[in-house]
Amino acid sequence: MSPNPSAPVLTIDGPSGSGKGTVSRLVAERLGWRLLDSGALYRAVGYAAGAAGLDLSDAEAVTRCAQSTKIRFAPAADGGDTRVLVNGHDATDELRTETGGAAASAIASIPSVRQALVDLQLGFRKLPGLVADGRDMGTVIFPDTPFKVFLTASAAERAKRRYKQLKEKGLNVTLGGLQREIEARDARDASRAVAPLKPAVDAVLVDTTGMPIADVVAKVLAVVQR
């Protein structure tokens, strides 16, 4: 896909469980803009690498996997979450597990993998506009956009959200285990040398702890509408 540099972009960054996925989807629907779930790209490559039996610490092998993996987004027939097709397989449910998130975080620290996915992400920038959901959308991928939001929430709150989501899917998880995984991932993402998780200097910070989703959406929309 060829990007359109004149298309407006709203970046929504933040840690896992901050609500950015749900908020991004709702904001994109309200604005009538395209949606980029950048985290799904990393999860998809992590999934493909795992399916191929690759060692996620093997930078060269995972980079080749990132370059060759075919990733496509498709609307859900029931109007639910967007489906993610990896090499022709609907891997949406596998990508949303904590294992999928851990794999994404591990490969995201490899500079050559990140570079392989940059052009793919830039290609989503098309009219009428793009809502880009991720961790470095405002700092690395679309630093030129004036519309930047950074969502956050306490680790305890984020763990409760993930616990509820995963339990609804029938997965056997513990709240304490999820909180420990989230805190470890936060530390890993914030301390990595390449594109560490942090708000852009000109991003609007929104703490979603205890905040109804409708209020978060309103705050984010206000960033574009101002």
Side-chain angles (χ1 to χ4, degrees):
M1 290 186 291
S2 297
N4 184 335
S6 67
V9 178
L10 167 64
T11 62
I12 302 180
D13 290 316
S16 175
S18 59
K20 64 183 186 297
T22 299
V23 170
S24 296
R25 188 177 76 251
L26 293 172
V27 168
E29 289 174 359
R30 288 280 297 274
L31 293 172
W33 288 7
R34 296 162 61 85
L35 176 65
L36 165 59
D37 178 354
S38 67
L41 300 183
Y42 287 94
R43 288 172 184 257
V45 172
Y47 170 83
L54 301 181
D55 179 349
L56 296 185
S57 65
D58 185 338
E60 290 187 8
V62 176
T63 299
R64 287 195 297 271
C65 181
Q67 293 167 338
S68 63
T69 300
K70 306 298 182 187
I71 305 168
R72 186 167 67 87
F73 295 96
D78 60 0
D81 290 344
T82 300
R83 310 307 293 177
V84 186
L85 281 70
V86 183
N87 293 326
H89 170 69
D90 186 341
T92 310
D93 294 338
E94 293 99 317
L95 301 190
R96 295 306 178 190
T97 64
E98 290 307 302
T99 300
S105 181
I107 66 170
S109 64
I110 302 174
S112 52
V113 170
R114 301 189 72 86
Q115 187 56 48
L117 294 178
V118 166
D119 289 343
L120 181 60
Q121 293 174 84
L122 292 175
F124 280 82
R125 186 173 195 168
K126 291 182 177 296
L127 294 171
L130 174 68
V131 176
D133 156 12
R135 281 175 158 71
D136 63 355
M137 296 295 97
T139 54
V140 176
I141 307 300
F142 301 106
D144 61 317
T145 180
F147 308 125
K148 299 173 185 173
V149 173
F150 190 91
L151 299 185
T152 188
S154 68
E157 171 94 356
R158 290 185 283 134
K160 289 177 184 176
R161 293 173 183 174
R162 289 297 291 158
Y163 181 81
K164 181 173 183 291
Q165 291 172 347
L166 296 175
K167 277 295 187 181
E168 288 173 350
K169 294 180 179 179
L171 298 176
N172 185 24
V173 292
T174 66
L175 186 58
L178 284 176
Q179 182 164 340
R180 285 191 294 273
E181 286 182 16
I182 283 174
E183 290 171 341
R185 185 175 179 184
D186 285 352
R188 187 167 61 245
D189 287 348
S191 62
R192 68 187 179 212
V194 180
L197 174 63
K198 63 179 182 180
V201 293
D202 53 345
V204 175
L205 304 182
V206 180
D207 188 337
T208 66
T209 305
M211 186 182 296
I213 197 72
D215 291 353
V216 180
V217 169
K219 281 183 173 290
V220 173
L221 284 170
V223 172
V224 178
Q225 294 164 346
R226 71 188 178 190

